[in-house]
Amino acid sequence: MRNRSQILAAAERLFSEQDPRTVTMGRLAKAAGVGRATLYRRFPDISSVAVALLDEHEARLQGQLVYGPPPLGPGAPAAERLAAFYRAAVDLLEHHLPLALGAETGSARFATGAYGFWRVHVRTLLRDARFPDPDAVIDILLGPLAPELYQFQRQTLGLSAERVERALERTALRLLEPAAGA
């Protein structure tokens, strides 16, 4: 367990300095103070290290969604909870975008446990708001959180994280407020 913690801490440092896809296993082993064999026993490649590290950050957010105070946690109206989820997800992307790009790109994103959790969470909020046919819109609502899209918005279009966040909040509130009152 100690080696795993050392590896993930070193990966966090290295991934914050450069794109995770450019970090080598040898460099990570050296930064973590472990042998290559130890590293390879725990993780077959850099992508699996990125996934494990991102899983830790996502697990914290999942805990807040289930047990945290409203509006992120239970107890707030569905529209406010979805807006809070968007704020938290944008914050996660803002602080860990290289990690997300290394771990959750393309169709691989849909196979992660976190994406499955986000789907269940958004579906629950849609059902709570009595949104018609929630299954048809869940992935549409999660689409703006794709790491590649967020990178495009931030780096290519030059949008601020706050601007992206406000747009997603407005989407959540406008989509679910009327349904909540029905």
Side-chain angles (χ1 to χ4, degrees):
M1 192 64 164
R2 187 175 66 85
N3 285 341
R4 184 179 196 284
S5 297
Q6 283 177 242
I7 292 166
L8 293 180
E12 181 95 56
R13 283 189 311 273
L14 290 174
F15 294 169
S16 70
E17 296 167 2
Q18 68 185 80
D19 184 332
R21 296 168 291 190
T22 65
V23 174
T24 66
M25 291 291 273
R27 182 159 179 233
L28 178 55
K30 184 176 180 181
V34 299
R36 284 182 183 225
T38 299
L39 178 59
Y40 279 104
R41 269 195 302 276
R42 302 223 182 265
F43 302 100
D45 53 33
I46 286 295
S47 179
S48 63
V49 177
V51 168
L53 192 52
L54 190 59
D55 281 350
E56 289 198 2
H57 295 299
E58 289 173 335
R60 283 187 213 111
L61 176 54
Q62 291 171 10
Q64 293 173 329
L65 292 170
V66 175
Y67 303 111
L72 191 55
E80 291 176 30
R81 290 199 70 202
L82 182 58
F85 168 68
Y86 275 144
R87 283 190 301 273
V90 166
D91 185 64
L92 184 75
L93 285 169
E94 186 64 21
H95 288 94
H96 304 291
L97 184 59
L99 203 54
L101 288 167
E104 295 184 348
T105 56
S107 62
R109 175 175 189 243
F110 305 118
T112 66
Y115 191 82
F117 184 92
W118 308 145
R119 287 190 93 255
V120 169
H121 178 66
V122 171
R123 185 176 196 282
T124 300
L125 297 177
L126 291 169
R127 291 196 62 179
D128 288 351
R130 296 188 176 101
F131 191 88
D133 197 10
D135 292 324
V137 76
I138 294 167
D139 299 300
I140 294 167
L141 294 176
L142 290 172
L145 302 175
E148 302 94 338
L149 177 58
Y150 188 75
Q151 179 183 40
F152 174 74
Q153 290 178 310
R154 293 284 287 122
Q155 296 174 7
T156 304
L157 299 179
L159 301 177
S160 69
E162 294 78 20
R163 192 168 168 195
V164 172
E165 187 178 291
R166 280 193 309 273
L168 291 172
E169 283 180 29
R170 283 192 302 273
T171 299
L173 295 173
R174 287 191 179 161
L175 182 71
L176 296 186
E177 282 290 334

